Amino acid sequence: MIAADVKAIHLGHPSYVWRRGQDRRLSLIRQYVELEGKRILDVGCGLGMYVDKFRQFSPHVYGVDVDADKVAEAGRRLPNIYESPAESLPFPDESFDVILLHEVIEHVDDDHETIREAYRCLAPGGQIVIYAPNRLYPFETHGFYLLGRYYFRLLPLVNWLPDVLRDLFCPHVRIYTARGIKRLFDGLAVRFDATTHIFPGLDNVAARRRTFGPWLHGLVEWAESTPLRCFGISHFIVARKVVD
């Protein structure tokens, strides 16, 4: 297995193309978070897709990523991109009003320290925005190991197994309940402004089945408006740093 493949297994794949699914995620953020003129940090920014979009709302947008290659590529077209682990951000205390962790905490070395570091860099009243994989989603999307070999394919129902069994197949990535994400904030003064889920955008399927696509998108949006949203692909959580 070449180095690039190993890196992708452990760090995941960033957003390569901005499509409808990403627009939906940005729209959900904007329902709970004011972006206009704010100091914004995208932790685990990858190729800078969200940094680029956030710059429509504010000139004060920064991104960090642990992957030097992606930092270099993003930095060629965007300002304020830095190489850094999520557990040790290169910014002073209270530097940002909004900090995004988009499908990141499942990949970091220490998710507790990642949240504490984001909290350190957040101004009072600021918000940490998290998208992270949902334990109740019926498929593992990060691939799996079987007999020592990695397969980048969907694996059904593995995330519903007890941890000791689930981690045999997926030791390279975490999975969360909403309660598990909130526990990462234990000891920190926060208020949760949003706790919900989002379904996958299914853009590839819709593109291949153009007559079926609009109906499929409508079905997904309907499901998110019902209790079925608990089976969404990702948690969406917004935590506000409480002002003393």
Side-chain angles (χ1 to χ4, degrees):
M1 194 176 294
I2 62 174
D5 291 335
V6 173
K7 184 165 61 175
I9 290 169
H10 291 280
L11 299 183
H13 292 275
S15 299
Y16 294 102
V17 179
W18 191 273
R19 296 185 293 184
R20 181 180 180 277
Q22 301 295 352
D23 273 328
R24 292 180 67 242
R25 289 179 176 238
L26 177 58
S27 178
L28 186 56
I29 292 171
R30 295 190 67 201
Q31 288 182 37
Y32 296 92
V33 179
E34 182 181 347
L35 300 176
E36 286 75 8
K38 299 298 184 180
R39 299 168 296 168
I40 304 171
L41 173 65
D42 182 3
V43 177
C45 66
L47 298 175
M49 293 293 180
Y50 277 91
V51 172
D52 188 31
K53 290 297 178 179
F54 287 152
R55 283 174 56 80
Q56 297 177 4
F57 308 100
S58 173
H60 314 296
V61 184
Y62 293 71
V64 298
D65 201 282
V66 73
D67 187 333
D69 294 333
K70 291 184 175 62
V71 167
E73 186 171 346
R76 282 194 285 271
R77 60 187 182 85
L78 294 166
N80 305 327
I81 305 294
Y82 299 93
E83 182 182 349
S84 172
E87 299 89 344
S88 182
L89 298 173
F91 305 106
D93 295 356
E94 303 182 1
S95 294
F96 298 98
D97 305 301
V98 179
I99 297 179
L100 173 67
L101 293 152
H102 183 272
E103 308 293 351
V104 167
I105 60 172
E106 66 269 27
H107 297 293
V108 298
D109 290 338
D110 188 328
D111 53 357
H112 284 86
E113 189 58 32
T114 291
I115 294 300
R116 292 186 176 278
E117 185 68 351
Y119 184 88
R120 178 188 68 79
C121 292
L122 193 67
Q127 294 165 291
I128 296 173
V129 180
I130 296 174
Y131 281 103
N134 178 20
R135 180 126 199 180
L136 289 184
Y137 187 62
F139 299 93
E140 172 53 60
T141 63
H142 294 89
F144 61 94
Y145 284 90
L146 183 62
L147 300 177
R149 183 177 177 183
Y150 175 77
Y151 297 87
F152 185 51
R153 300 173 189 169
L154 295 178
L155 184 62
L157 305 182
V158 67
N159 290 329
W160 295 2
L161 295 174
D163 286 343
V164 67
L165 296 178
R166 185 259 175 196
D167 291 347
L168 292 176
F169 296 96
C170 303
H172 57 298
V173 66
R174 300 182 187 88
I175 195 78
Y176 294 94
T177 63
R179 182 178 299 177
I181 295 177
K182 288 183 175 181
R183 277 201 298 264
L184 298 177
F185 290 87
D186 283 354
L188 303 177
V190 298
R191 180 183 78 231
F192 292 100
D193 293 339
T195 303
T196 188
H197 303 86
I198 192 167
F199 275 85
L202 301 176
D203 294 312
N204 288 336
V205 177
R208 291 195 299 267
R209 303 285 189 269
R210 294 186 181 276
T211 57
F212 179 65
W215 179 86
L216 182 62
H217 285 153
L219 179 63
V220 165
E221 292 178 8
W222 169 81
E224 287 175 355
S225 70
T226 76
L228 291 173
R229 63 182 173 271
C230 71
F231 295 103
I233 189 171
S234 292
H235 297 281
F236 173 72
I237 289 180
V238 179
R240 184 184 297 271
K241 189 172 187 176
V242 175
V243 179
D244 294 332

